[in-house]
Amino acid sequence: MTSPVSAVQQSDVPPGGTAFGVMLRSLRRAARLTLEELSEASGVSVRALGDLERGRSRGPQRRTVDALAAALRLDAEQAERLRRLAEAGRDRGGPPAAPYLLRTVPDFTGRGQELADLEALATGTRTRAAVLFGPGGQGKTTLAAEAVRRLAGAFPDGSVCVQLHGMSDSPLSASEALVLLLTALGHPADRIPVDPVAREAVYRAALAGRRTLVVLDDAADEVRTRPLLPDAEGSFVLITSRRPLAGLEGVRRIRLGGLSGGESTRLLERILGASRTEGQSEAVTRLTELCGHLPLALRIVGNRLSSRPSWTPAHLVGQLADEGRRLNGLVAGDLAVRSALALSYGQLTPPHRLLLRRLSLVPGHDTGPELAAVLTGEDPLTIAGSLDLLVDRGLLEETAPGRYALHDLVRLFAREQLGAEEPESVTGAVRLRMADWLLRSASAAGRRFEAPGAPEPWAGEPVPFTPGSAEEAEEWLTAERSNWAGALPSMFAADRHQEILHASRTLYWFSDRWCLWPEWRTLFSHGARSAAALGDRAAEAHQLNCLAWAHSVGACRYEEAEQLARQALELASETGDLDQQAWAWSYISGACMGLGRPAEAAQAAARATQLFDTTGDSTGKAVSQRVLGTALRESGRGEEALALHRALLGTRTGDVPGLNEFAAALLRCETARDLLALERWSEAAEVFRSVGTPLDHAGVDRLHAHTSLGLATALEHRGDLTEAHEHYTRARALFTQFGDTASATEATAGVERTRNPSQR
């Protein structure tokens, strides 16, 4: 364990005093006691006291220090600091030596940008201090040590390092730190002023004529740190802290986050050696993910594997995969992730601890102040300040303005504290209150995309988020989508089936704007199960159709989509619901197209068209006819497909906002593909160019992919190989992004055919 005392790396503590002696004399003078009076009050001889103050006796025993502390009437913190200085003197023994030096590690990995930034700041002329801040376990002290090593040549007067114990129960005061710094800088101990202001002036004067690198490790706050900053150019102060110390003037701040995936892997490989990681790349990568790329966790994992030669990385992956046991596994000797987090947690006020614990209940990755306020019952403005404080303390990350996330390991720690400090009955009530608020808010936002007169969300407290516009509604639904979808299991477990169905129906029209979201499969799956639990077969048919759409359009899972649509068809037939029968046939036709069965798709689309015509659903009829035309084309009936798609271009497709424009673009794309099938290349190219860029629809990128592929095909056959190559390349990138491997393969073949057209 390192000592709390400072040191100069290139010189020992000078003759004539020790840090303990300087502190003892300062405390005695502050108490206005002579040596004789202190001797009488403490029972320590005058001669022994003189030896202590002059540094001849370097580390008094604990009982002597306790007697002096009692005689000087020190409070608990002052007494503990005096004991630490005495222990440092005892530990040192022998000749004076540097009692606190930053320790470098031979396998230091990564942080290239941070080191470059520190070097630029330290060797420049305008900045005199930098704060290296970030959560516990990010390796701030290790990085500072590496910076000291690399910057040694730029500071010929040496490096002074002081541990400020910012995370302890008794952080070092500025006055005490100045004693340590001045002693280490070679200032005569008997000439260190008792007055703190004078002591600060002497310190700054001592740095004024030097090129010294001062490291203040583990700073607690601005008040204890500000007096330790230099005035003049030449010397440079590097501060490490879990907080950004935003109140300090004239300093630069560098935030430390986790290592990158590659850096995390390299660190483990360097700790373990090539022989232990060869052939284990997948397990090593998984270990870095389980560690959340936190340097402390990676160090622990590396050390544990090093101490267990028979263990493989895959074996440790198995131990850490269980979230409930992961923090127990991230311990190696005196290194423990839980201990590092507990230090920060222990310094929070009770309300901030409560907030951190309950943030672990948030189902999604991040949250905003409104949802956080629901967890604690406080108002959002108060909670916003609390969230910012947790960010400052390194326990929370602000992923975007107003959005906050827990690191994976912090979430596990907070969840542990929640289980230990709050009854399950309370936790369950908070979780359900949050889930209820999320679904009510999602329903309120979804109403912005429904027809006028849509039902209001059910009553409840707290008041739900209620957007003032469709733009606000879309922004909220997008930001909170993992949270409102993640709330569904809690609502289902509480038998809140009517509320789940209400939310699902309310979000029905909005889902078409962002059809690729996986959350729709979660929503409509719970909707179908809730309808079944209520015995509402009509609602179940509707939810199953929605789920079939989400599997087909959103995920290209055509087999599942067909099964779900056929289940919906059976239920709708039993209840006589022609509308849901029509949509079921429509989704069956789309699934059959995706499965390469165009003849069956054409039959299903024709059935859907007839039913939509009967019910008067013009939107559904247009959708089914478009699919029918596509099925006809793929069945070799290109002229019929072209005629049908051209006729549809003049048909209204409903009054849903944004649907007309997108549906028209889809039809233009299908018309162009019909022309491709008929080998009318030039006409096809012109129609593809006219498809346009409809806004506010999630399917627009997929549309662009098919348009690019079709246009590239037409241009290639027309002989415009250079432009065709560009569109094939774009299509390949888009299809790869969507996971459409068949279309990506087709585009890749086109890229190869049109490569280097000048050489053809």
Side-chain angles (χ1 to χ4, degrees), residues 97-439:
Y100 178 60
L101 302 178
L102 293 178
R103 183 178 61 85
T104 59
V105 292
D107 48 26
F108 182 88
T109 303
R111 306 300 193 192
Q113 185 60 57
E114 290 88 348
L115 284 167
D117 291 344
L118 285 173
E119 182 176 3
L121 292 172
T123 57
T125 58
R126 302 187 63 181
T127 304
R128 300 190 304 276
V131 178
L132 192 62
F133 73 99
Q138 294 290 5
K140 298 179 290 295
T141 300
T142 301
L143 176 56
E146 184 67 16
V148 169
R149 186 183 70 80
R150 298 190 185 193
L151 292 169
F155 294 95
D157 293 313
S159 303
V160 180
C161 309
V162 178
Q163 191 178 44
L164 300 179
H165 293 280
M167 296 307 298
S168 73
D169 293 334
S170 53
L172 215 62
S173 69
S175 181
E176 292 169 296
L178 285 169
V179 171
L180 304 179
L181 286 166
L182 285 168
T183 303
L185 287 168
H187 193 82
D190 57 355
R191 294 176 58 188
I192 295 177
V194 173
D195 178 66
V197 175
R199 190 178 295 175
E200 184 179 336
V202 171
Y203 165 70
R204 290 205 168 101
L207 287 180
R210 302 174 185 245
R211 280 287 289 169
T212 300
L213 176 58
V214 178
V215 180
L216 307 176
D217 189 30
D218 190 19
D221 53 39
E222 293 88 343
V223 172
R224 291 177 172 89
T225 307
R226 186 177 288 108
L228 312 182
L229 300 181
D231 271 338
E233 296 179 1
S235 293
F236 184 79
V237 173
L238 173 58
I239 306 160
T240 72
S241 178
R242 296 196 183 189
R243 302 174 57 189
L245 304 181
L248 293 183
E249 309 86 354
V251 304
R252 295 288 295 274
R253 293 170 180 83
I254 299 175
R255 187 185 189 280
L256 273 196
L259 296 174
S260 68
E263 290 171 338
S264 299
T265 298
R266 286 194 297 275
L267 177 56
L268 281 183
E269 289 173 345
R270 294 189 68 183
I271 294 172
L272 295 171
S275 62
R276 295 288 302 277
T277 57
E278 187 175 357
Q280 293 277 323
S281 59
E282 184 175 343
V284 169
T285 298
R286 181 59 181 147
L287 277 179
T288 66
E289 294 169 351
L290 292 171
C291 291
H293 305 290
L294 184 73
L296 174 60
L298 293 166
R299 174 72 57 186
I300 289 170
V301 162
N303 289 358
R304 287 195 68 190
L305 287 172
S306 295
S307 65
R308 300 287 197 280
S310 62
W311 285 13
T312 64
H315 173 79
L316 193 51
V317 166
Q319 288 191 4
L320 299 179
D322 182 355
E323 286 191 349
R325 299 168 51 197
R326 190 172 305 161
L327 290 179
N328 290 334
L330 291 176
V331 178
D334 63 345
L335 297 179
V337 170
R338 183 185 285 110
S339 299
L341 296 175
L343 284 174
S344 293
Y345 182 74
Q347 293 195 337
L348 298 177
T349 64
H352 294 139
R353 293 182 190 177
L354 176 71
L355 174 59
L356 183 70
R357 291 196 302 269
R358 293 188 177 178
L359 284 174
S360 68
L361 295 173
V362 174
H365 173 67
D366 60 7
T367 183
E370 295 85 1
L371 176 54
V374 173
L375 293 171
T376 65
E378 295 186 82
D379 67 275
L381 287 178
T382 300
I383 283 295
S386 298
L387 291 169
D388 286 337
L389 181 139
L390 292 179
V391 171
D392 283 350
R393 298 298 173 88
L395 290 167
L396 202 59
E397 300 175 21
E398 190 171 13
T399 55
R403 301 298 300 179
Y404 303 88
L406 292 170
H407 184 279
D408 289 346
L409 297 180
V410 177
R411 181 185 294 272
L412 295 181
F413 175 81
R415 192 175 296 164
E416 281 188 355
Q417 301 307 308
L418 184 69
E421 299 182 39
E422 299 194 47
E424 176 56 37
S425 58
V426 173
T427 301
V430 172
R431 183 184 287 109
L432 185 58
R433 182 176 70 203
M434 171 187 67
D436 179 80
W437 181 85
L438 281 165
L439 284 198

Side-chain angles (χ1 to χ4, degrees), residues 593 598 626-642 645 669-678:
M593 282 299 304
R626 178 174 57 79
V627 178
L628 174 59
T630 303
L632 291 173
R633 181 183 70 235
E634 297 303 316
S635 300
R637 300 159 65 180
E639 292 289 356
E640 294 178 61
L642 179 62
H645 284 147
C669 183
E670 292 296 345
T671 300
R673 295 173 76 180
D674 296 337
L675 291 167
L676 279 185
L678 296 170

